[in-house]
Amino acid sequence: MATTKRHDVKDLSLASEGVRRIQWADRQMPVLQTIRDRFEREKPLEGYRISACLHVTTETANLMRTLKAGGADVVLCASSGTEALEAVLAAIDCGKTIALANKEVLVMAGALVTEAASRRGVTILPVDSEHNAIHQCLHGRSLAEIRRLVLTASGGPFRGRTAAELAAVSAADALKHPTWRMGRKITVDSATLMNKGLEAIEAHHLFGIPMDRVEVVVHPQSIVHGIVEFHDGSCILQAANADMRLPIQVALAWPDRLPEGAEPLEWSSLGSLDFEPVDRSTFRCLDIAFEAARKGVTYPAVMNAANEEAVGAFLDERLAFTGIPSIVEDVLAAHKAAPELTLEAVLDAEQWARAEARSRIEACS
């Protein structure tokens, strides 16, 4: 990866799907291009040493050994899905600062992760654009001053559509996000607004704010990424062009700022910035996520796993777009929560939810 004078990459952990997505042909990313070339020649990546101080890990067990032995100060977790939970907990146990771009880790086991971080004195820095925005707005502020946090949503490709119109949309339609370029799963989550539900839960755990003080508004321009409202009625917001390079570098350089990032905003030519309420009756996933968070224990993990299975089935054309919230609701309704939140309980609930969702998806086919 390209590095600054402040940062050197020590280790890379990549799933094979992640390697397939590497398309870095430019000269600024020679490390990733080397990995991609090796993968395409079907040579093993596990343990591949790129240089004296950089090697590749593709297996979770080896990643955990690397965390314990490596000299990294910051662990950037940017994998999708639930696989990163144990790795993040291991990194926290090693005392590493966590730059977290994987929202599922906190959705599944937020209390476990934040409690572990507190015990070890570990800082968790959010990389997700909305949480990074809130983090910047909160700097130096007491939580006692805050009335609510507001997360913005673009509304996705189906903003303004009715439930009836969504019944026939395709995966190709759902993957046409109006402002962000992201992976397939998160792009579908943005289309259902489940992504905002996951982000609300993440904000609850990251910032210690009750769910009833986390709100979501639709902001189609994707210029304002997060808003903090204080008890006196004033608000601080973070605004920037939609460019993930900015929240990544803010997290890695915090509390300093690097001299380059997103293209500056041209305020005189921006035009209007619009904000509107979410159509919760059409995009039911948002309320499903909030309700799972209120129930707590293993419900959020079950919701997350069922959603992953449902989104995968939709992308494979085995489930209708409107079937995604229905599958998640049905799996949650069938779930019997564990008596307490433990890592074992989370992983068991996640495994159960996947099997239950697959069974229900099969019945729909």
Side-chain angles (χ1 to χ4, degrees), residues 60 63 75 78 109 113 119 140 176 179-180 182 206 253 295 300 318:
T60 302
L63 170 61
V75 174
V113 172
R119 283 196 306 271
K176 295 175 182 176
T179 53
W180 292 97
M182 305 176 291
L206 272 174
K295 288 183 175 180
R318 294 182 289 113

Side-chain angles (χ1 to χ4, degrees), residues 66 107-108 171 177 186 204 243-244 265 272 283 337 351:
T66 299
V107 170
M108 291 177 66
H177 196 280
I186 190 174
H204 159 63
D243 187 337
M244 277 306 300
L265 291 167
S272 63
F283 298 96
Q351 186 177 21

